């Protein structure tokens, strides 16, 4: 952690012109980086410098910049979302880096998340897993009364612990096997705790697991790395819940 | 394909099978260790030899047990290898630099080397059966008799083997690897089989570590004792 207001950093950034390009690392150095900037703001400054030099800026994904949309997928110094636990890359501040430090930035690497350009990857595989079963049936017509459906506090809280998943894909990126078990497990676990999830409960777990398989993610070896990098700290209990839900769906 | 057969082949089915076979193999190790430790009874190996004789006399029952064990080993090894191959397919281009975040992560030497520790264990098991069952490395068969009953002196066979420093060293190395495999394995099996209470899972990791250490230490005790003591008694 740096206590200075300004630091210099060396950056080793993955550049890839398109899905079929082989890609390579390029080195940049940036002086007078304000330590109160976020990591993405630091990249904005770098990109502005690049544009002034008539060079192609670095493509990286971002949207909310407040840790809720899950777009900012960067592997920073070998760790998905960087060195701070429970922090998305957009919430990471430059004060966590040392003056003169070399920072390596890579995209999520997984067959299921092909690189589109530079640091941007295609995470549609997650959307297809969601379409396979991550929904509930609701009656159309007038909106039902609020709180008409009683849910115990324990279940509501526990569902919330899984519902906070922002779908960023850091679990896949950090998993030595590139498994999507934490993401898929969180969605299944969330809906299994709520009465709204009940009608599709059995079909949901079967379909979502089948889709996860089709997308080419790896197996889960219970490394728990996903939980460690998850910006919202989802527990691997989600994965164990997915397994018990799957077994229940098979035997009933 | 029936839906059950399909289910066994999904990532979840495979993990449940690894967990189940791993747990049964661990239980087998505990039973095997209890048998071995009967050698420490100072009765010239009688309890151990009678136990071996009893197992032999089971005949077909013993064959069934052996076949089940072979199936457990092969299923476990097959899935372990296929998980490794899947992992290569799921990320063909590796990170140039990769680090664990630490914290709740269970990524460590033990969990990262499951395939290596497992493969060495498999090789060891084959040599071990050849050695103690088919007398590959020490062809003599020792005989003894208790109350007029002739039987194979397997205790003597074990004693001779563990007076050889090379056998003791190789055996000890593999027993430590079994400990390393189980350090991650026991905990992992619980999670594979659906342990999900966040209050209990950290305890399970500690329990796994203790089981791993106890099993490795138990198996190390006998060869080291025989070698250092210069024999069984
Ligand atoms: C005495 C023999 C053995 C015992 C007691 C044992 C025990 C275990 C246990 C309890 C697990 C955890 C299962 C899970 O993750 O659900 C495991 C995992 C594993 N075992 Fe073994 N094992 C043995 C032999 C072997 C052999 C012969 C191999 C050969 C390749 C092997 C390879 C693996 C691998 C690769 C894993 C990790 C699977 C994964 O990545 O999820 N094991 N073992
Ligand atoms: S940009 Fe939205 S979570 Fe980081």
């Amino acid at each position: 952690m740096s206590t200075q207001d300004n630091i210099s950093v060396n950056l080793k950034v993955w550049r890839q012109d398109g899905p079929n390009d082989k890609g390579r690392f390029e080195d940049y150095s940036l002086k007078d980086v304000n330590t109160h900037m976020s990591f993405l703001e630091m990249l904005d400054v770098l990109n502005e410098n690049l544009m002034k030099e008539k060079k192609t800026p670095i493509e990286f994904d971002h949207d909310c910049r407040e840790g809720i949309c899950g777009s900012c997928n960067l592997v920073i110094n070998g760790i998905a979302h960087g060195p701070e636990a429970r922090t998305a890359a957009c919430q990471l501040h430059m004060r966590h880096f040392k003056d003169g430090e070399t920072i390596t930035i890579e995209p999520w690497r997984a067959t299921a998340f092909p690189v589109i350009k530079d640091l941007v990857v295609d995470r549609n595989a997650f959307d297809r897993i969601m379409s396979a079963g991550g929904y509930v049936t609701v009656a159309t017509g007038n909106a039902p009364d609020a709180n008409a459906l009683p849910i115990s506090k324990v279940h509501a809280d526990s569902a919330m612990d899984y519902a906070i998943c922002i779908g960023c894909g850091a679990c896949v990126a950090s998993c030595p096997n590139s498994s999507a078990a934490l993401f898929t497990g969180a969605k299944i676990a969330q809906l299994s705790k709520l009465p709204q999830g009940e009608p599709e409960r059995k079909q949901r777990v079967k379909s979502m697991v089948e889709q996860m398989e089709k997308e080419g993610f790896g197996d889960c070896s219970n490394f728990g790395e996903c939980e460690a990098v998850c910006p919202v700290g989802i527990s691997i209990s989600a994965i164990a819940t997915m397994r018990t839900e799957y077994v229940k769906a098979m035997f009933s | 394909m029936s839906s059950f057969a399909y289910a066994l082949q999904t990532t979840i089915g495979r993990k449940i099978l690894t967990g189940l076979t791993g747990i049964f193999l661990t239980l087998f190790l505990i039973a095997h260790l209890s048998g071995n430790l009967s050698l420490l009874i100072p009765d010239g190996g009688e309890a151990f030899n009678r136990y071996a004789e009893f197992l032999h006399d089971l005949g077909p029952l013993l064959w069934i047990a052996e076949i089940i064990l072979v199936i457990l080993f092969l299923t476990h090894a097959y899935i372990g290898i296929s998980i490794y191959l899947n992992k290569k397919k799921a990320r063909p281009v590796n990170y140039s630099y990769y680090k664990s975040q630490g914290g709740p992560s269970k990524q460590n030497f033990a969990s990262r080397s499951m395939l290596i520790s497992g493969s060495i264990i498999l090789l060891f098991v084959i040599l071990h059966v050849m050695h103690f069952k088919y007398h590959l490395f020490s062809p003599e068969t020792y005989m003894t008799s208790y109350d007029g009953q002739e039987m194979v002196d397997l205790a003597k066979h074990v004693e001779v083997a563990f007076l050889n420093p090379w056998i003791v060293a190789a055996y000890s190395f593999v027993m430590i690897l079994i400990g390393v495999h189980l350090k991650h394995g026991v905990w992992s099996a619980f999670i594979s089989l659906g342990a999900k209470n966040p209050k209990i899972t950290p305890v399970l990791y500690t329990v796994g570590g203790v089981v791993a250490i106890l099993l490795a230490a138990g198996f190390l005790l006998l060869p080291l004792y025989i070698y250092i003591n210069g024999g069984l008694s």
Side-chain angles (χ1 to χ4, degrees):
Chain A
M1 178 129 165
S2 178
T3 47
Q4 290 157 267
D5 275 338
N6 284 298
I7 57 172
S8 312
V9 289
N10 301 309
L11 300 164
K12 209 177 140 208
V13 185
W14 184 258
R15 301 300 306 261
Q16 182 171 336
D17 299 339
N20 300 320
D21 181 35
K22 256 192 74 203
R24 76 238 160 245
F25 277 105
E26 262 171 43
D27 295 328
Y28 305 94
S29 57
L30 207 53
K31 289 197 173 41
D32 292 329
V33 177
N34 188 316
T35 49
H36 307 298
M37 283 199 286
S38 74
F39 199 82
L40 301 191
E41 284 166 334
M42 181 274 294
L43 287 179
D44 291 337
V45 173
L46 174 64
N47 273 346
E48 248 163 68
N49 290 352
L50 287 177
M51 284 186 283
K52 274 184 213 147
E53 296 166 21
K54 301 263 183 278
K55 288 187 186 146
T56 324
I58 301 162
E59 291 286 341
F60 62 95
D61 226 347
H62 59 96
D63 188 10
C64 71
R65 298 205 176 197
E66 54 182 10
I68 51 169
C69 74
S71 330
C72 50
N73 25 37
L74 302 174
V75 173
I76 304 166
N77 281 344
I79 303 175
H81 290 304
E84 285 293 292
R86 295 212 179 182
T87 307
C90 59
Q91 299 284 86
L92 176 66
H93 285 87
M94 290 312 290
R95 67 181 79 97
H96 296 293
F97 297 90
K98 288 193 289 284
D99 191 25
E101 186 171 345
T102 300
I103 306 170
T104 310
I105 313 172
E106 278 183 83
W108 283 180
R109 293 206 187 276
T111 307
F113 288 162
V115 173
I116 299 172
K117 193 170 183 215
D118 297 341
L119 301 167
V120 181
V121 299
D122 175 354
R123 288 176 301 135
N124 275 318
F126 271 9
D127 296 337
R128 288 187 292 267
I129 293 177
M130 286 306 275
S131 324
Y135 50 81
V136 294
T137 302
V138 289
T140 53
N142 283 340
D145 281 345
N147 299 326
L149 201 54
I151 302 170
S152 79
K153 170 136 174 61
V154 181
H155 280 111
D157 285 352
S158 149
M160 199 58 197
D161 286 344
Y162 297 124
I164 50 175
C165 170
I166 57 175
C168 65
C171 41
V172 175
S174 67
C175 175
N177 297 359
S178 315
S179 162
L182 191 68
F183 168 78
T184 313
K187 302 302 172 189
I188 290 166
Q190 174 202 338
L191 294 172
S192 78
K193 304 282 175 195
L194 298 172
Q196 288 91 336
E198 213 45 44
E200 293 90 4
R201 186 166 178 173
K202 287 177 193 156
Q203 194 50 47
R204 171 180 308 115
V205 59
K206 288 189 205 169
S207 308
M208 288 180 82
V209 166
E210 191 177 337
Q211 189 61 37
M212 170 172 83
E213 203 99 326
K214 275 190 204 147
E215 299 291 348
F217 294 104
D219 295 272
C220 168
S221 290
N222 302 321
F223 284 113
E225 189 63 36
C226 47
E227 176 177 334
V229 299
C230 178
V232 290
I234 292 176
S235 154
I236 61 162
S237 299
I239 300 176
T241 304
M242 168 172 70
R243 291 178 179 139
T244 48
E245 285 292 311
Y246 192 80
V247 172
K248 277 191 241 161
M250 285 319 293
F251 286 104
S252 53
Chain B
M1 193 164 30
S2 82
S3 63
F4 185 69
Y6 170 77
L8 283 183
Q9 287 171 36
T10 61
T11 163
I12 293 185
R14 283 198 296 271
K15 250 357 275 251
I16 290 173
L17 281 178
T18 336
L20 281 179
T21 51
I23 290 283
F24 279 110
L25 288 172
T26 309
L27 292 177
F28 161 72
L29 288 187
I30 294 173
H32 191 326
L33 178 61
S34 332
N36 290 4
L37 290 182
S38 70
L39 270 171
L40 292 176
I41 304 170
D43 60 355
E46 182 173 347
F48 181 74
N49 285 336
R50 282 190 187 275
Y51 172 62
E53 186 79 359
F54 160 76
L55 287 182
H56 267 257
D57 290 345
L58 289 178
L61 275 181
L62 183 68
W63 303 339
I64 295 174
E66 284 174 349
I67 291 169
I68 292 177
L69 265 176
V70 169
I71 293 174
L72 285 179
F73 264 106
L74 292 184
T75 313
H76 187 86
Y78 172 78
I79 302 174
I81 294 168
S82 85
I83 287 176
Y84 177 79
L85 296 177
N86 262 353
K87 148 193 179 145
K88 292 277 140 192
K89 261 195 298 185
R91 180 175 296 142
V93 185
N94 230 322
Y95 292 107
S96 75
Y97 177 61
Y98 176 88
K99 227 174 105 187
S100 168
Q101 174 67 281
S105 172
K106 304 285 186 288
Q107 224 188 134
N108 49 39
F109 173 71
S111 59
R112 289 193 72 91
S113 57
M114 291 304 270
L115 184 69
I116 299 169
S117 54
S119 305
I120 298 176
I121 295 169
L122 188 62
L123 194 71
F124 164 80
V125 169
I126 296 168
L127 292 174
H128 181 69
V129 170
M130 307 261 264
H131 181 188
F132 286 105
K133 194 171 158 102
Y134 299 111
H135 295 238
L136 179 69
F137 306 110
S138 37
E140 304 102 293
T141 304
Y142 306 96
M143 297 303 288
T144 185
S145 68
Y146 303 109
D147 313 324
Q149 191 191 350
E150 273 270 305
M151 62 178 76
V152 177
D153 193 355
L154 199 62
K156 175 94 184 150
H157 191 80
V158 173
E159 190 178 11
V160 170
F162 288 148
L163 285 172
N164 179 334
W166 295 109
I167 294 185
V168 173
Y171 186 94
S172 305
F173 171 67
V174 177
M175 294 310 114
I176 292 169
L177 277 189
I178 288 186
V180 170
H181 197 81
L182 289 183
K183 175 185 153 56
H184 181 71
V186 173
W187 179 81
S188 178
F190 277 116
I191 307 297
S192 295
L193 298 177
K196 53 179 175 255
N197 186 336
K199 287 201 190 72
I200 294 173
T201 41
V203 183
L204 288 178
Y205 195 67
T206 314
V207 170
V210 172
V211 170
I213 291 175
L214 286 181
L215 268 176
F219 280 110
L220 281 171
L221 187 62
L222 203 63
L224 293 182
Y225 173 77
I226 293 178
Y227 187 68
I228 294 167
N229 194 37
L232 260 172
S233 48

